[in-house]
Amino acid sequence: MAVLNFSCIHLALLFFLYGVVYCLDGGFAKHNDKCHFRGNDELEYSEEIYFNKEMWLWYNSTTDIWKGDTTYGMEIANDLNNEPSKHVTRNILKYILCVENGERLYGYLHNYTVQPNVRLRSEEPASSRHSAMLVCSAYDFYPKTIIITWLRNGQVVTSDVSSTGELANGDWSYQIHSHLEYTPTPGEKISCRVEHYSLPEPQLYDWDPSIPTSEKSKIAIGASGLLLGLVFLLAGLRHYMKNRIGHRQDGPVSASAEQPLLTPLLM
């Protein structure tokens, strides 16, 4: 490891805005400025100074004090704390880096919304108390807060309801899954109500118990397969009849009177 020296220390403090300063002995210093936002009117400005990946000293606007983690860092922190212009300098940096940028950031995030993509489906119940379970899922929405409510014949359902809570997708968007276990009743109406900041009004999604989407897909695939099979069957039958008629025309003709009537239909 490079030997620490004051020339490198002062160089780091003088040119901290460049981020990384290389010293003659191969070491380097790094300066971090951070803005911690906790609300529109509450933020904390902090600074961290490293040398060869080791933190020397740090500052935050909450305590308004520099503190050192090494011998040299404590000496520099003591000098900075005794500077008459310390408060003015830090407040200027806090305003430029945090306040002005924070206003832009909050203005952008306040107006940035993404509507949820909602899907309502049936799954096997997790317990044996009920014979059915519905899942109402909302995908890729922003901001985080969302409310999902189950309605049964227009009445809010609170029992046998569970939720995963908002799950982060890692790209600032979220997803949530709400489960309702129930025992189906003929003629009832079950709905999933979604309320979100991006929606002008709550959205209702009604469950259609007639045929689940997965079953509809299976039926469609089965019907397509059956139709394709019939096409191949008719094509094979036509080919068979043509060959049979051709062989009889080449040999002695002993076909019945009904056979010519089938030929136009199969040609």
Side-chain angles (χ1 to χ4, degrees), residues 1-9 11 21-29 51-52 56:
M1 179 179 291
V3 178
L4 304 182
N5 56 76
F6 281 105
S7 62
C8 191
I9 295 172
L11 191 62
V21 179
Y22 289 90
C23 301
L24 297 177
D25 56 8
F28 66 92
F51 186 81
N52 285 345
W56 274 15

Side-chain angles (χ1 to χ4, degrees), residues 36-45 61-62 94 98-99 102-103 106:
H36 306 269
F37 298 95
R38 298 186 178 90
N40 286 321
D41 300 323
E42 184 181 357
L43 62 88
E44 181 183 73
Y45 169 71
S61 60
T62 302
K94 178 181 178 180
C98 300
V99 176
E103 291 176 353
Y106 275 109

Side-chain angles (χ1 to χ4, degrees), residues 22-253:
Y22 289 90
C23 301
L24 297 177
D25 56 8
F28 66 92
K30 183 176 71 170
H31 184 283
N32 290 335
D33 296 275
K34 298 181 180 179
C35 300
H36 306 269
F37 298 95
R38 298 186 178 90
N40 286 321
D41 300 323
E42 184 181 357
L43 62 88
E44 181 183 73
Y45 169 71
S46 66
E47 297 182 44
E48 299 171 347
I49 296 178
Y50 295 82
F51 186 81
N52 285 345
K53 299 183 180 180
E54 181 182 18
M55 183 184 289
W56 274 15
L57 65 159
W58 54 274
Y59 165 89
N60 72 70
S61 60
T62 302
T63 61
D64 195 26
I65 295 176
W66 282 94
K67 292 186 178 181
D69 287 350
T70 65
T71 302
Y72 293 117
M74 287 186 286
E75 292 181 8
I76 298 174
N78 184 62
D79 292 339
L80 291 173
N81 288 327
N82 292 327
E83 285 186 1
S85 61
K86 178 194 69 170
H87 301 286
V88 177
T89 304
R90 302 277 81 76
N91 285 333
I92 291 175
L93 289 174
K94 178 181 178 180
Y95 181 80
I96 294 175
L97 298 178
C98 300
V99 176
E100 290 187 344
N101 291 326
E103 291 176 353
R104 297 189 184 98
L105 177 63
Y106 275 109
Y108 172 75
L109 294 179
H110 180 74
N111 297 319
Y112 178 74
T113 61
V114 178
Q115 292 187 0
N117 179 19
V118 180
R119 302 175 191 173
L120 186 57
R121 66 186 186 277
S122 174
E123 288 190 357
E124 291 294 327
S127 65
S128 58
R129 292 187 303 165
H130 299 283
S131 59
M133 182 175 72
L134 296 179
V135 182
C136 185
S137 300
Y139 297 92
D140 304 325
F141 57 87
Y142 184 87
K144 178 180 179 180
T145 304
I146 193 171
I147 300 176
I148 294 182
T149 308
W150 288 99
L151 302 175
R152 195 169 189 176
N153 296 324
Q155 301 297 318
V156 175
V157 180
T158 57
S159 60
D160 299 312
V161 174
S162 61
S163 175
T164 61
E166 296 91 341
L167 305 175
N169 293 327
D171 58 357
W172 285 47
S173 67
Y174 297 86
Q175 61 176 287
I176 188 173
H177 309 275
S178 180
H179 305 78
L180 170 65
E181 294 189 53
Y182 72 109
T183 300
T185 302
E188 68 180 350
K189 180 180 180 181
I190 298 180
S191 306
C192 169
R193 184 175 66 194
V194 179
E195 300 174 70
H196 189 253
Y197 184 76
S198 64
L199 301 172
E201 59 184 16
Q203 300 294 311
L204 284 177
Y205 300 87
D206 298 329
W207 170 244
D208 181 8
S210 56
I211 301 180
T213 303
S214 58
E215 296 298 327
K216 291 180 180 179
S217 300
K218 293 178 182 178
I219 293 175
I221 294 174
S224 300
L226 179 61
L227 180 60
L228 185 62
L230 289 175
V231 171
F232 280 109
L233 177 62
L234 291 176
L237 181 61
R238 179 176 180 274
H239 180 72
Y240 169 76
M241 294 302 296
K242 286 182 65 176
N243 289 339
R244 183 179 179 185
I245 294 173
H247 286 304
R248 291 193 175 186
Q249 288 178 348
D250 294 338
V253 179

